[in-house]
Amino acid sequence: MPIAASEMNIMFDWFAAQPDTVKGAVVGAIIAVGGVVLNNVVTYLNTGRQLRHDRKQKETERLLSMRRDIYMGVAEHLFGGVWVVMALSDERSDQQALMTSWRESSRFMAKLHILASPKLLEATDVTNEELSRAVMQMAILRSMLVSEADPAKKRVLIVSTYKQALEMVAAIQPRIATVAAAARSELGIKIDEAAYAALMHRSSTRLRAYADETVQKIEGLLNA
């Protein structure tokens, strides 16, 4: 309840009538109480700011942890797809087991749409589409290889299937590098992107050369 003007006057009159020692004690008490109140207010404001900062920091760390787990899963899915492409070139491989394992890792692709930036989503979708086409093509070639009964035709299929697998992988590698660069950017992982891109390009070039060399050796063995 507000203090009336008359009550204020009475208080001032009382204060004026007091000796200096009493006045000093009253003023000191007021200053002390005011200091405590001011300190409490400052502490309250600082605590509020700290709590808001802590909540924001925890939320940032939680999102970063979620991104890290999902992006690592996406990387495993893409590189796993590369392995599937190569494995399908071998008629002795277990196609059903390969496809089942790769489908299971595709769950990370769906989760990617929740947290990833448009740049990362586009790079990943393009890479995954190309990888999916490669897997399907290799599955068809493998079926032809398995069902071929003519020895001469089968030798040709063995060589062409293996060569196509290597060429597909060599073509996909640079796209995976683009995905990795975008993911690292969102995770705050800094590396020399130009050097990494050059490394992947050299790897792709070596793989193409290896494909040609290996195919020649296989042809030599089959025709011996």
Side-chain angles (χ1 to χ4, degrees), residues 47 49-59:
T47 301
R49 282 194 293 268
Q50 185 63 42
L51 289 174
R52 288 192 294 273
H53 176 270
D54 290 346
R55 283 196 297 268
K56 185 177 180 180
Q57 183 67 24
K58 288 181 180 179
E59 180 65 14

Side-chain angles (χ1 to χ4, degrees), residues 90-144:
D90 184 352
E91 64 176 323
R92 297 167 299 179
S93 62
D94 187 339
Q95 180 174 342
Q96 183 175 356
L98 289 170
M99 299 300 290
T100 298
S101 175
W102 196 52
R103 280 196 299 269
E104 288 176 353
S105 67
S106 66
R107 68 185 185 277
F108 291 105
M109 298 298 298
K111 295 179 180 180
L112 192 69
H113 286 259
I114 304 299
L115 295 173
S117 67
K119 180 180 179 180
L120 178 57
L121 278 176
E122 182 178 5
T124 306
D125 284 345
V126 170
T127 304
N128 193 53
E129 288 170 7
E130 185 170 339
L131 194 53
S132 297
R133 285 195 297 269
V135 169
M136 293 305 298
Q137 290 174 18
M138 288 306 303
I140 294 172
L141 289 173
R142 183 183 182 280
S143 297
M144 295 171 59

